[in-house]
Amino acid sequence: MFERLLIANRGEIAVRIIRACRELGIQTVVVYSEADADSLAVQLADRAVLIGSPPPSDSYLRADRIIEAARQTGCQAVHPAFGFLSENAAFAQMVREAGLIFVGPSPEAIQAMGLKTEALARVRAAGVPTLPSYDGQGLLEDFQRAADALGYPLLVKAAAGGGGKGMRVVRDPAELPAALEASAREAGKAFADNRLFLERYIEAARHIEVQILADQHGNMVHLFERECSIQRRHQKIIEESPSPYLIERPQLREAMCQAALRAAQSVGYTNAGTVEFIVDAHTGEFFFLEMNTRLQVEHPVTEAVTDVDLVQLQLRIAAGEPLPFRQADLYQRGHAIECRIYAEDPSEHFLPSTGDLLCVVPPSAPHIRVDSGVRTGDAITIHYDPMIAKLIAHARTRPEAIRRLDAALAAYVILGVTTNIPFLRDVLAQPDFQRGETTTTLIERAFAAWQPPNPPLPDSALIAAALSQLLQSGAPALNAAPAESDPFSPWARPDAFRVGA
Amino acid sequence: MFERLLIANRGEIAVRIIRACRELGIQTVVVYSEADADSLAVQLADRAVLIGSPPPSDSYLRADRIIEAARQTGCQAVHPAFGFLSENAAFAQMVREAGLIFVGPSPEAIQAMGLKTEALARVRAAGVPTLPSYDGQGLLEDFQRAADALGYPLLVKAAAGGGGKGMRVVRDPAELPAALEASAREAGKAFADNRLFLERYIEAARHIEVQILADQHGNMVHLFERECSIQRRHQKIIEESPSPYLIERPQLREAMCQAALRAAQSVGYTNAGTVEFIVDAHTGEFFFLEMNTRLQVEHPVTEAVTDVDLVQLQLRIAAGEPLPFRQADLYQRGHAIECRIYAEDPSEHFLPSTGDLLCVVPPSAPHIRVDSGVRTGDAITIHYDPMIAKLIAHARTRPEAIRRLDAALAAYVILGVTTNIPFLRDVLAQPDFQRGETTTTLIERAFAAWQPPNPPLPDSALIAAALSQLLQSGAPALNAAPAESDPFSPWARPDAFRVGA
Amino acid sequence: MEFRFEHAQSLYSVKAERDGESFRVRIGERVYLVELVRAAGGELVFRLGDQVLTAHIGRAGETLHLALGAQQFKLSLAKPSVRRKSAEGGSASLSASMHGQVVRVLVEEGEVVRRGQPLVLLEAMKMEIRVTAPHDGRVVRLLCSVGEVVQRAQPLLELAEL
Amino acid sequence: MEFRFEHAQSLYSVKAERDGESFRVRIGERVYLVELVRAAGGELVFRLGDQVLTAHIGRAGETLHLALGAQQFKLSLAKPSVRRKSAEGGSASLSASMHGQVVRVLVEEGEVVRRGQPLVLLEAMKMEIRVTAPHDGRVVRLLCSVGEVVQRAQPLLELAEL
């Protein structure tokens, strides 16, 4: 195993990788932008290297500076996590050429899966079903002709894309030109590649993906599925394993897992990866969507049900170790659900909310996991994704996991920005969700007119507000004995108080 | 299910029960002594009732006041947790007579298992192997004769006992009278019952116990074993599931689990209980030690490997619900290890350490669970057990669980009292422990001369000390802009600072 | 001391004073005896009868953000003043819903627009945000330009009702 | 400002002063430029070159309790004074190792005792704690009695070397 790892990322996933490294005895170096100088990841890493200004184009996307930082700090490997350079084959190649280990698949595999049209051709050849589609070479007229052939509704997608960027549903031929233009613009910005393609759109769709792990010795396993159908703006907000759809359909699960392995094998895949499928809930047909050649945001639900630490396995595989288990050793036990807590306003089209986090208190309870990169005093800024935390509950059954997750959401204190916590609680309570009838349109269908709860102000809130103002005012009547419980605090006011002590 | 539960306990287990109730939508009432008025359990419960002064005899052992509190607050049930009145059949009877539900077995079952001699007779009749023993009726001479017949070494134990109180190993006939006297005194204080008995003492002993659950409809299951061989002063400090000894001996596991079920059935047991066995590591023989007719301190390791929430199941069973699973539905997956973090000095005979907790920061990491009832500002007092927290790690394999637990121990900050954290880390690293060769004498054998690490003082510690003193002094040079990250804090000094912002 | 808070257009007056080891808090006709249990790190714990309540409080400018149980409240500390809604009829300014950069301005001054029509494209957090007309109207004045970074609530254009 | 700390019988002098946005800290010949990142709730985070270090600090009386990584240190703020060990030869007092109640006194004044012999039984936290003779000796004076509650470090009896 290597001794020192550079983490080419930020936020909660950088923190999560640091924690994995601590268990393995690996030292960590994080790179950071000026906006993240005081971040939790920088605090927890063994060393931290400033690589630029807040815009990602001047820091987290600067491959040259990241590799230089790895060299200077004596790292042997680079973990890209997700987003930023994680699916950039050129970066993986540069890391390799600098004599460092890239914690991920080969540049060739990234490349092959990165261009959606090439990926589709490859997996189709490997016998994996794909959606009827048009690969998007040509002029507007070509797209229009192809769209008519595919039939509406259809999806416009970025050829180099991922994470929903540049993606649009088109239900009417008249909307096609505007959709193509907007998608091309977004794709160009996000991926520096504005090529598009078209695809059949399934109305009652479930998004189900299969996690795979492959070592450098020819061993490959799957770690079962995750269902990620609960999405808003085409981005996942609730993910779970097992899929409620597959619980009663073990043969379909097996077929999908085998298809995922074939897809990964078709590009000689190594390390952790995820094969995404769309499942037609009416017919049970499944189609390959794309392969994410990296760790996923939602990897914790797989970790909860399989007991496999995916990040530690990524590091072991990158270091050349063989997989420590075979397929038959793996299991999928209990039920895990993750929800992503965002600084956003679900009643205002999920607009991100920026601001200072005045108070953050994560919940603590058995079998609750909180992955977060921020704490009280940090800010949600315009520069990065406004995710505050991932909250994961694990229990024996799905209903218990839902209750556990809801209790943890209720206890999560985040002050200073609008969050989607009340929204997530309402989604967990929604009858279709509770029955496991989760399709990708559930949010837009059932929550289009959602409004946050607006409870009347209880007297206890006024009492708390008045007390805190009174304490802050430092009224002389408050000069009781100094806080017995906190006798030393360099930042406590001299007239610290404690009554009833 | 009942609507409101009274928790007749304190500390971490009261907090743990409150968390279970939140997931089930049950309101909670805790009783508390004057020493616990500001405790976390009181803070988290829906309501809290003061029942007396700090000594347990005036509060947590006052059955009358506890039942009165339950009546006044409209509770339908009482959870005794462990310690205090949890194994007091008279209390269970009083609760029942007050028209309330006792969350535990019937008074008759508590009584039958509470008197060790009766318990032994019952389980022996049910075909469960027991240790050769003497039931301790008679004078000193009778004990001496019986001891000679059993052979040395032997154990002196309290007939009404539990938790190691009143227990002594005697290796030499000359030590017997003093041991009997001391044990009788301790037993009389702890249990108001100074009767004793003698038992064969096994040198290479493993302490392995089986968790069972039984509903009121005749259904009973086991939830596999826990090994609790790592003990100091006859009290468990590290517990795990599965037992390293049974991993390679599935038939022995099955035999022990079946014996546990027979033992429980012999007294018509309902609710959660634990059957404790001693296993002779040389011969593989196992003997019934006792049945704990309550929740155990170490229940979280079973919860981690079975995904069963034992506290929630206790409540469901008490409310009359049938078990929601059969034996075949249960599994034991991965490996979980718990260690108990105590305020004590392992280099001074594990003497408890009292004092204020100046700073407590529990670790946060995937698959780490912290059960604790204290936080910064609380005190460890003479009145109660000095346990600060239980730290539980769960992973796919035992070596991974050990690494995970060690990393979490390393990150646990507790200032103000001496803790056993450095000691626990050394136990986790000990070769016999790492190989799973865990017997009850490991601590006294390998750690008799243990001394805490005494690292040289690094400059960074002096820098931190000087900075904190400087900040506390409020030197005028520090008046920078007010803390951007914490703009409102009623207890912040007016000249709050933040540099580099 | 007396404190005044505004919440959801209502004004509240709260009197709080020390009374021995406790605090006496008066809200209208209701009087509460409150014991302070703990105050640290944004957390305020207080006893009210047989309940111990936990509030978390943060302050941003003149706004108190307060969490109590699973509920959150924003209380304004500002001197009470009747908030004026945008003048009826006439024209009203349309503001940015968040901090971001203007990517495109899709209308011109004087143009007549329909309800729902996109007027300005903003980019924030790598997402495109579309500012649309809240009603049919005429663009009276443009107040932003392409490339400009705008703050939340900054006016982007004035829109007159037809 | 200059601060003096004692640790493990050694005395340390540390000079710390503000230097622009940072702090200049001098320990002996070594000078460090330290940037403060965060200070809240007992946590002190500071930058030292490319390392960001986290210390947790609590103070009890004149003792600073400090955690840095997995290590803990106790620093004394007291004015330095050479600690006197108990006088050699002669008699020394034997103290309670923790707060507790005296359950039994097993020796009398004048009695000669062997190393390891139990002298006093204390009860604390529901456990029996036995105070034993650290060496052979003679009990010069009893300083506690049955039922008495004693503090940690309170002398229980004086024991003279033989």
Side-chain angles (χ1 to χ4, degrees):
Chain A
M1 181 56 71
F2 30 84
E3 286 166 16
R4 194 174 292 159
L5 174 77
L6 184 128
I7 300 167
N9 216 299
R10 62 178 300 285
E12 63 89 15
I13 194 61
V15 170
R16 194 266 173 270
I17 296 169
I18 291 167
R19 293 197 164 122
C21 288
R22 285 196 178 166
E23 293 183 11
L24 293 173
I26 300 172
Q27 293 188 313
T28 51
V29 178
V30 292
V31 292
Y32 65 97
S33 79
E34 285 158 7
D36 288 330
D38 298 348
S39 68
L40 183 60
V42 165
Q43 180 184 350
L44 294 179
D46 292 300
R47 295 173 75 184
V49 181
L50 178 66
I51 53 162
S53 62
S57 56
D58 191 53
S59 46
Y60 297 107
L61 292 173
R62 286 295 299 260
D64 53 341
R65 294 184 191 159
I66 291 168
I67 289 170
E68 180 56 26
R71 268 215 198 90
Q72 281 182 354
T73 54
C75 289
Q76 292 102 42
V78 175
H79 198 309
F82 43 68
F84 298 128
L85 295 168
S86 61
E87 293 186 286
N88 184 315
F91 177 65
Q93 184 64 35
M94 282 173 72
V95 169
R96 184 189 273 184
E97 282 165 8
L100 302 167
I101 294 169
F102 180 80
V103 181
S106 67
E108 296 74 21
I110 297 174
Q111 178 107 43
M113 284 299 183
L115 275 170
K116 296 295 168 272
T117 47
E118 182 179 343
L120 288 172
R122 291 255 204 162
V123 306
R124 221 179 273 132
V128 177
T130 61
L131 274 178
S133 67
Y134 170 64
D135 84 346
Q137 307 299 322
L139 302 172
L140 177 60
E141 290 69 31
D142 301 303
F143 276 89
Q144 284 173 321
R145 250 193 316 275
D148 291 339
L150 284 174
Y152 290 84
L154 55 75
L155 265 182
V156 180
K157 297 176 81 173
K165 287 190 194 79
M167 192 154 80
R168 265 169 185 72
V169 182
V170 182
R171 295 176 194 281
D172 187 293
E175 297 168 3
L176 187 65
L180 290 170
E181 189 203 338
S183 290
R185 190 171 52 245
E186 273 182 46
K189 267 193 200 157
F191 315 112
D193 180 343
N194 65 4
R195 281 174 294 166
L196 302 175
F197 72 107
L198 305 180
E199 205 171 69
R200 192 209 283 179
Y201 179 67
I202 295 173
E203 290 284 3
R206 285 174 176 260
H207 178 115
I208 301 177
E209 60 191 27
V210 175
Q211 174 72 51
I212 69 111
L213 277 177
D215 66 20
Q216 300 179 37
H217 309 278
N219 306 304
M220 187 181 286
V221 296
H222 69 80
L223 291 101
F224 311 95
E225 82 283 5
R226 293 184 288 263
E227 177 162 347
C228 316
S229 298
I230 305 301
Q231 307 185 349
R232 56 112 185 84
R233 290 170 156 256
H234 298 295
Q235 286 190 321
K236 304 163 185 170
I237 51 173
I238 299 181
E239 301 104 341
E240 55 188 309
S241 184
S243 156
Y245 189 76
L246 297 186
I247 287 173
E248 308 275 309
R249 295 172 175 85
Q251 289 170 331
L252 179 56
R253 171 184 291 139
E254 182 59 22
M256 292 178 68
C257 290
Q258 291 305 323
L261 291 172
R262 284 200 303 278
Q265 277 152 356
S266 76
V267 296
Y269 200 85
T270 54
N271 216 294
T274 296
V275 181
E276 295 193 336
F277 295 104
I278 190 166
V279 179
D280 188 321
H282 295 323
T283 65
E285 290 173 285
F286 68 92
F287 305 99
F288 173 92
L289 279 183
E290 62 177 4
M291 179 165 189
N292 294 312
T293 57
R294 50 161 170 88
L295 191 66
Q296 300 273 91
V297 174
E298 60 270 24
H299 74 276
V301 296
T302 297
E303 296 185 326
V305 296
T306 64
D307 294 341
V308 172
D309 188 307
L310 288 169
V311 176
Q312 292 189 21
L313 260 296
Q314 283 194 295
L315 297 168
R316 290 189 183 283
I317 289 169
E321 295 184 20
L323 286 177
F325 39 64
R326 289 152 307 166
Q327 189 66 55
D329 298 325
L330 296 174
Y331 49 80
Q332 185 184 30
R333 294 283 164 78
H335 201 98
I337 310 181
E338 166 181 290
C339 59
R340 305 192 190 181
I341 297 175
Y342 279 103
E344 67 180 21
D345 187 345
S347 66
E348 290 285 347
H349 309 289
F350 302 97
L351 277 190
S353 156
T354 56
D356 289 330
L357 296 169
L358 304 173
C359 186
V360 178
V361 185
S364 168
H367 307 137
I368 282 293
R369 168 175 171 182
V370 181
D371 278 23
S372 180
V374 295
R375 65 285 209 235
T376 297
D378 290 342
I380 303 295
T381 69
I382 185 181
H383 305 297
Y384 310 115
D385 185 78
M387 190 168 77
I388 295 173
K390 301 185 311 207
L391 188 63
I392 304 100
H394 185 218
R396 204 178 59 85
T397 64
R398 189 169 186 270
E400 288 170 285
I402 292 174
R403 275 200 301 275
R404 182 160 289 166
L405 191 56
D406 184 63
L409 282 169
Y412 210 134
V413 176
I414 301 170
L415 296 179
V417 296
T418 302
T419 76
N420 63 343
I421 287 178
F423 179 78
L424 290 167
R425 295 189 66 197
D426 284 350
V427 175
L428 294 184
Q430 202 269 344
D432 285 347
F433 183 84
Q434 295 239 329
R435 280 193 298 267
E437 290 170 12
T438 42
T439 64
T440 53
T441 55
L442 188 144
I443 298 295
E444 56 195 79
R445 182 167 50 75
F447 291 92
W450 185 84
Q451 286 295 319
N454 188 16
L457 191 68
D459 278 2
S460 50
L462 287 168
I463 292 169
L467 274 189
S468 73
Q469 289 296 100
L470 187 67
L471 298 176
Q472 195 196 25
S473 72
L478 295 172
N479 281 328
E484 214 185 286
S485 62
D486 188 11
F488 173 70
S489 166
W491 31 90
R493 60 190 312 149
D495 55 338
F497 61 88
R498 179 180 164 98
V499 294
Chain B
M1 180 56 74
F2 31 84
E3 285 166 18
R4 194 175 292 157
L5 175 78
L6 185 129
I7 301 167
N9 217 299
R10 62 177 301 283
E12 64 88 16
I13 194 61
V15 171
R16 194 265 173 270
I17 295 169
I18 291 168
R19 292 197 165 123
C21 287
R22 286 196 178 166
E23 293 183 13
L24 292 175
I26 299 171
Q27 292 188 313
T28 51
V29 177
V30 292
V31 292
Y32 65 97
S33 79
E34 284 158 9
D36 289 330
D38 297 349
S39 68
L40 183 59
V42 166
Q43 181 183 347
L44 294 179
D46 292 300
R47 295 173 76 184
V49 181
L50 178 66
I51 52 162
S53 63
S57 55
D58 190 53
S59 45
Y60 297 107
L61 292 174
R62 286 295 298 261
D64 52 342
R65 295 185 190 159
I66 291 168
I67 289 170
E68 180 56 27
R71 268 216 198 89
Q72 281 182 352
T73 54
C75 290
Q76 292 101 42
V78 175
H79 197 309
F82 42 69
F84 299 127
L85 294 168
S86 61
E87 293 185 287
N88 184 314
F91 177 65
Q93 184 65 35
M94 282 172 71
V95 169
R96 185 189 274 186
E97 283 165 7
L100 302 168
I101 295 170
F102 180 79
V103 182
S106 66
E108 296 74 24
I110 297 173
Q111 178 108 39
M113 284 299 183
L115 276 171
K116 297 293 167 271
T117 47
E118 182 181 343
L120 288 171
R122 291 255 204 162
V123 305
R124 220 180 273 129
V128 177
T130 61
L131 276 176
S133 66
Y134 170 65
D135 84 346
Q137 307 299 323
L139 302 171
L140 178 59
E141 290 69 33
D142 300 304
F143 276 90
Q144 284 174 321
R145 252 195 315 276
D148 290 340
L150 284 174
Y152 290 84
L154 55 76
L155 265 183
V156 179
K157 297 176 81 174
K165 286 190 197 79
M167 191 154 78
R168 267 171 183 72
V169 182
V170 182
R171 296 175 193 283
D172 189 293
E175 296 167 4
L176 188 63
L180 290 170
E181 189 203 340
S183 289
R185 190 170 53 246
E186 275 182 43
K189 267 194 203 157
F191 315 110
D193 179 344
N194 65 4
R195 283 173 294 167
L196 302 175
F197 72 108
L198 305 179
E199 204 171 70
R200 192 210 283 178
Y201 180 67
I202 295 171
E203 289 283 5
R206 285 173 175 259
H207 178 113
I208 300 177
E209 61 192 27
V210 176
Q211 175 71 52
I212 69 112
L213 277 177
D215 66 20
Q216 299 179 39
H217 309 277
N219 306 303
M220 188 181 285
V221 296
H222 69 79
L223 291 101
F224 310 95
E225 82 282 5
R226 295 183 287 262
E227 177 162 346
C228 316
S229 299
I230 305 300
Q231 309 184 348
R232 55 112 183 85
R233 291 169 154 255
H234 298 295
Q235 286 190 323
K236 304 161 184 171
I237 51 172
I238 299 180
E239 301 104 341
E240 55 188 309
S241 182
S243 156
Y245 189 75
L246 297 187
I247 287 173
E248 308 276 308
R249 294 170 175 87
Q251 288 169 331
L252 179 56
R253 171 183 293 140
E254 181 60 20
M256 292 178 69
C257 290
Q258 291 306 322
L261 291 172
R262 284 199 304 278
Q265 277 151 356
S266 76
V267 295
Y269 199 85
T270 54
N271 216 292
T274 296
V275 180
E276 295 193 336
F277 295 104
I278 189 165
V279 179
D280 189 321
H282 295 323
T283 66
E285 289 173 286
F286 67 94
F287 306 100
F288 173 91
L289 278 183
E290 63 178 5
M291 179 164 188
N292 294 312
T293 55
R294 51 163 169 86
L295 191 66
Q296 299 273 90
V297 175
E298 60 272 25
H299 74 276
V301 296
T302 296
E303 295 185 326
V305 297
T306 64
D307 294 341
V308 172
D309 189 307
L310 289 170
V311 176
Q312 292 188 21
L313 260 297
Q314 283 195 295
L315 296 169
R316 289 188 184 283
I317 290 169
E321 295 184 20
L323 286 178
F325 38 64
R326 289 153 307 167
Q327 189 67 54
D329 298 324
L330 296 174
Y331 48 82
Q332 184 184 33
R333 49 140 233 190
H335 201 100
I337 311 181
E338 167 181 290
C339 58
R340 304 190 192 183
I341 298 175
Y342 278 102
E344 66 179 22
D345 187 345
S347 66
E348 290 285 349
H349 309 290
F350 302 98
L351 276 191
S353 158
T354 57
D356 289 330
L357 295 169
L358 304 173
C359 185
V360 178
V361 185
S364 168
H367 306 137
I368 282 293
R369 168 175 172 181
V370 181
D371 279 22
S372 180
V374 295
R375 65 285 207 234
T376 298
D378 290 341
I380 302 296
T381 69
I382 184 183
H383 305 296
Y384 309 115
D385 185 78
M387 189 167 78
I388 296 173
K390 304 185 309 207
L391 188 64
I392 304 101
H394 184 218
R396 206 178 59 85
T397 63
R398 189 169 187 271
E400 287 169 285
I402 292 174
R403 275 200 302 274
R404 183 159 289 166
L405 191 55
D406 184 64
L409 282 169
Y412 211 134
V413 175
I414 301 169
L415 296 179
V417 296
T418 301
T419 76
N420 63 343
I421 287 178
F423 179 79
L424 290 167
R425 296 189 65 197
D426 284 352
V427 175
L428 294 185
Q430 202 268 348
D432 285 347
F433 183 84
Q434 295 239 327
R435 281 193 297 267
E437 290 169 12
T438 41
T439 64
T440 52
T441 56
L442 189 144
I443 298 294
E444 58 196 77
R445 180 167 50 76
F447 291 92
W450 185 84
Q451 286 295 319
N454 187 16
L457 190 70
D459 278 2
S460 49
L462 288 168
I463 291 169
L467 273 189
S468 71
Q469 290 295 100
L470 187 66
L471 298 177
Q472 196 196 26
S473 73
L478 295 173
N479 282 329
E484 212 184 287
S485 62
D486 189 9
F488 174 71
S489 166
W491 31 89
R493 60 191 312 152
D495 55 336
F497 61 88
R498 179 180 163 101
V499 296
Chain C
M1 290 179 83
E2 183 176 357
F3 302 97
R4 295 162 79 86
F5 305 105
E6 197 190 325
H7 177 260
Q9 317 285 29
S10 295
L11 200 63
Y12 299 88
S13 165
V14 184
K15 285 184 192 149
E17 58 189 22
R18 190 69 185 260
D19 180 1
E21 295 239 315
S22 302
F23 295 86
R24 185 175 293 274
V25 180
R26 179 188 293 270
I27 304 171
E29 298 298 297
R30 303 180 296 284
V31 179
Y32 298 95
L33 205 65
V34 183
E35 188 196 330
L36 190 65
V37 170
R38 210 179 149 82
E43 183 190 61
L44 189 73
V45 183
F46 55 100
R47 193 183 309 269
L48 203 63
D50 65 358
Q51 288 193 300
V52 173
L53 298 172
T54 304
H56 288 90
I57 302 175
R59 178 171 165 180
E62 295 303 299
T63 304
L64 278 192
H65 296 249
L66 195 147
L68 193 74
Q71 297 183 333
Q72 291 203 5
F73 304 95
K74 283 187 205 173
L75 305 184
S76 171
L77 295 172
K79 287 259 165 64
S81 69
V82 181
R83 230 184 261 162
R84 234 172 295 169
K85 297 208 176 177
S86 60
E88 287 169 42
S91 73
S93 64
L94 213 63
S95 305
S97 53
M98 65 174 311
H99 184 116
Q101 192 175 17
V102 178
V103 180
R104 263 171 97 178
V105 178
L106 300 161
V107 291
E108 292 177 10
E109 290 188 359
E111 197 173 325
V112 171
V113 296
R114 306 296 304 259
R115 180 162 178 273
Q117 181 178 333
L119 308 175
V120 174
L121 287 188
L122 295 178
E123 190 181 86
M125 294 184 192
K126 303 182 288 174
M127 292 202 324
E128 225 176 77
I129 293 152
R130 169 186 302 235
V131 180
T132 56
H135 51 73
D136 295 352
R138 193 167 40 81
V139 178
V140 177
R141 207 147 58 104
L142 283 175
L143 301 167
C144 66
S145 55
V146 172
E148 190 182 343
V149 173
V150 294
Q151 304 300 318
R152 187 179 172 116
Q154 180 176 329
L156 300 174
L157 53 77
E158 265 177 45
L159 187 69
E161 295 194 358
L162 287 182
Chain D
M1 290 177 84
E2 183 174 358
F3 302 97
R4 295 161 79 87
F5 304 106
E6 197 189 324
H7 177 259
Q9 319 283 29
S10 295
L11 200 64
Y12 299 87
S13 164
V14 184
K15 285 183 191 150
E17 58 189 23
R18 189 69 187 260
D19 181 1
E21 297 240 313
S22 302
F23 295 85
R24 185 175 295 274
V25 181
R26 180 186 294 270
I27 304 169
E29 298 298 298
R30 304 180 295 287
V31 179
Y32 298 94
L33 204 64
V34 182
E35 188 197 328
L36 190 65
V37 170
R38 208 179 151 81
E43 183 191 61
L44 190 74
V45 184
F46 55 99
R47 195 182 307 269
L48 203 64
D50 65 359
Q51 289 192 300
V52 172
L53 298 172
T54 304
H56 288 89
I57 301 174
R59 178 170 166 181
E62 295 301 298
T63 303
L64 278 190
H65 295 250
L66 194 148
L68 195 75
Q71 297 183 333
Q72 292 202 6
F73 304 95
K74 283 185 206 175
L75 305 184
S76 172
L77 295 173
K79 285 263 165 62
S81 69
V82 181
R83 229 183 262 164
R84 235 173 293 168
K85 299 208 175 177
S86 59
E88 289 170 41
S91 73
S93 65
L94 214 62
S95 306
S97 54
M98 65 176 309
H99 184 115
Q101 191 175 18
V102 177
V103 180
R104 263 171 97 176
V105 178
L106 302 160
V107 291
E108 293 177 7
E109 289 189 0
E111 197 174 324
V112 171
V113 298
R114 308 294 306 257
R115 178 165 178 273
Q117 181 178 335
L119 309 175
V120 174
L121 286 189
L122 294 178
E123 189 182 88
M125 294 186 194
K126 304 180 290 175
M127 294 203 325
E128 226 178 76
I129 293 151
R130 168 186 300 236
V131 179
T132 55
H135 51 74
D136 295 351
R138 194 166 41 80
V139 178
V140 176
R141 209 149 57 104
L142 281 175
L143 301 167
C144 64
S145 54
V146 171
E148 190 180 343
V149 172
V150 294
Q151 303 301 318
R152 189 181 172 115
Q154 179 177 332
L156 300 174
L157 53 76
E158 265 177 46
L159 186 69
E161 296 195 357
L162 289 178

